[in-house]
Amino acid sequence: FSLTEGAEGLSVDVEYCTDLYEVSTIVRMADHYEQLLQSVVREPARPVGDLPFLREADLQELSGFNMTDHRYAHDRSVVDLFEAQVERTAGEVAVVYEGKELSYRDLDARSNQVANSLLSKGIVSGSHIGLLSHRGPSMIIGMLGILKAGCCYVPLNTAYPGLRLRYILEDAGVSHIVCGSASVVSFCELEDYDHSLVEESAGYSRARPEVSAMAAGGAYIMYTSGTTGHPKGIRVAHRNIVKLVEEPGPICVRSSDRMLQWSNYSFDGSVYEIYSSLLKGGRLYLIRDEWASDVFAMSKMIVENRITMMFVTTALFNAFVDEGLGSLGSVRKLLFGGEQLSLLHVRRGLSALGTGRIVHVYGPTETTVYASYYEINEVLPNRMVPIGRGLSNTGLYILDEQLRQLPVGVSGEIYIGGDGLSEGYINKVELTAEKYVEVPGIEGRVYRTGDLGRWQKSGDIEFQGRMDEQVKLRGYRIEPGEVEAVLRSAPGVEQCVVVAREDVSGQRRLVGYVVPGTGSEPDRESILAHMRSRLPEYMVPAALVGLDRLPLTANGKVDRKSLPAPEQGVEQGYVAPRNEVERRLSEIWERILYADRIGIHQNFFEAGGHSLLAMQLIAAIKEEWQIDVPVKLIFRPATICLLAEFIQMTVSAAPDDMTVYDIVEL
C-alpha cells in the first residue's frame, strides 16, 4: 500500500503478487482501509482497534450467509416423532444386528416395557439414567425406554476405566443404570450401583407410558474431555436432536436409507445415526463392538447389507479410501469429519465415488453433532476443503476479540448459534457462562468453539486450526490438560506436559514428557498402568519421554516447540529377527511405522501404531502371505514374534478344516 499526498488529498496504490491474491481480495482490502480512514475522521479520539471497518455491503453479505431458516417440528420431542413413525411403518424393519431384525412395532413395545419398568421403581420424569451396553438391540431399546420414561440418558462407554465411569455417574447425578446385560455390569465393575437389565423389563406392559417427554427437556448428557482433569457433561435437549433430524440438506436421511450405526453411543455421531434413521423410517444396521476400527469387517457388512448412509471420522475415511473403497458402491451419502483431512484421500475418494456423495461435516458436541456441511464435488489445487456453511436453523459467525463480525477473508474465532445449541455444561456454571455467550446484534446465545476460521466468498467457512491446545485425534476431542492432570498424579512424576505431535509418517499422536521427582525413577510401565486405569485408551500417550527439566520460554512458560521428538519404533533390549518370516514382518512394521529398527518383542502400539495402522498391517500381511489375520490378534497386543508364530502355524501347520480363528483361539 503506497500513499501519495496531492492537492485533492491522499491517493493509494496497491501492489500485490497475483500468485497469492485474487483481485477481489485486494479490492475488498482497499475498501476496508478506506472505511477505516473514514471512521478515524468521524471519531478521532476512539482507539483504532475499536473503529468499524465493515461496509454495509459486508454486513448484508454476512447476513445472507446465515439465511438458514427452515420450518420443522420444533415443539415435538424425539419420543413424539418416533411414535408417529411407528404408526406409519409399524411392520417395517427398524434395527438389524448380526442378521436379526427388529420391527418398528417391536422396538416401540420393548422400549415401552423398559419405560414402564423404570416408572414402577419410582423413578420420576427428568431423572438422569445411566445407559450401559455393548452394541446391539438392547442398547437402542434401553435408550428409547429411558426417553419414554421422561428421563435423560447418560451413555457409559464400556471401554472406559472404572474410575472414569464412576466420576461420570457421580457428576451427572445418575440414580439408576439401565444395562444391556449382566456381563457388561460385571465387566465394568458397577454391580454396587442400582441397576436393571433390559431383558428384565420383558414382563412389564407393552403399552406406551403415561409420561410425556418435553421438547425442551433433556434427552442425553454426553461427556467430553475437560481442561480440569475431569470430563465435562453436555446436556442436550430433545428439540436440539429434532432440529438435526429434520435437516433438509445433503445429510437428510430418507425412509429408504440403510444407515450404518458405527459411532459408539458415548460419541455424538451416534445421535445423528440413530435418530435420523429411526425418526425417518430407515433401517439402522448396528455393528459389533470389535468391528469399530476394522475396515475389512465393516466393508464386508456394507456390501452385504447394501448400506446407503454412513458417518466415519476423517481417520477412518482415509482408511476406507486406502483399504475399503470398493465396498462403498451402494453408499448414497458418506459423511466424514472430526479432524484435519488429507487432500490426497479426498481426491481418491471423489474420483472413485463421484460427485454428490461425499459430505464434509463439522460441529462440536455442544451444538448437537453437526453445525455445518460441505458437499465435496471438486478439490481445487492448493485449496483447503472447507467445513462449509451452516445447517438449517444454524448461525455461524466469525468474530474478533471484541466480538465483532469479520468479513470474507479475515480470520477469527468460529461461533455457533441457533436451534442446535445445547443447554450447557452440567455443574459448571462458570464454564457455561464463558463458552455460551451473548453477542450484540446476534439473537440468542452463541457457542465459542475455540476454532479459527474465515469466510470464503462462496459463503463457506475455511477451518484454520485451534486457538488453544485442544486436539482432535481419530475423531476424539482431547484436552491435554486432562491428560496432564492424570500423568502428574502418577508415582514418581513431579512435572509433566502432554502435546500432540506428528511422527515421521504424518500421523498425530499424544506424547508425554516427564520430569521425575527428587530421588525417584519413574517406571514407564507403572505410569502407563496408572493412566489406563483412569483414562480411555485414546487419551493415553503413545510415547513417554523422560527429561531432566522442562524447557521454558523467556516468560517462564513451557516451551513446547523445544520439546524433543520421541524415538519411534526403537526397542530397549533390541532383539533382531531370527528367521525369514520375522525378517519380512520387521520390514513391514518399519515401513508402516516409519521406524529405522524394530525388534521382534516390540509392542505394535508402543512402537507408534494405532487401530487404523493395524488395518494397514493386516492388509500387508495378507498381500505377503495370502492369509487373513484377525483384528483381535493385533490388539492382544501383537509383537513380530507372536505374529510370525501365527503366520508359520497358519501357512504350514493348519489342517484343511481348521479356520484362522480356530488357530487364534488355540
Side-chain angles (χ1 to χ4, degrees), residues 124-141:
V124 298
S125 179
S127 297
H128 296 170
I129 305 298
L131 180 61
L132 182 70
S133 177
H134 292 303
R135 298 172 195 256
S138 292
M139 179 185 81
I140 305 298
I141 292 169

Side-chain angles (χ1 to χ4, degrees), residues 82 140 162 188 255 258 261 285 346 437 470 476 490 526 585 619 627 629 632 663:
F82 175 71
I140 305 298
C188 294
S255 60
R258 295 163 173 248
Q261 207 284 286
Y285 286 80
V346 172
V437 299
Q470 185 191 102
Y476 292 103
S526 64
L585 266 178
I627 63 173
V629 177
K632 62 181 178 181
I663 295 171

Side-chain angles (χ1 to χ4, degrees), residues 59-80:
L59 297 175
Q60 292 178 0
E61 184 177 43
L62 295 175
S63 178
F65 292 162
N66 279 318
M67 295 181 66
T68 62
D69 288 352
H70 170 70
R71 293 184 64 183
Y72 70 102
H74 64 276
D75 58 345
R76 305 186 71 189
S77 71
V78 168
V79 175
D80 293 335

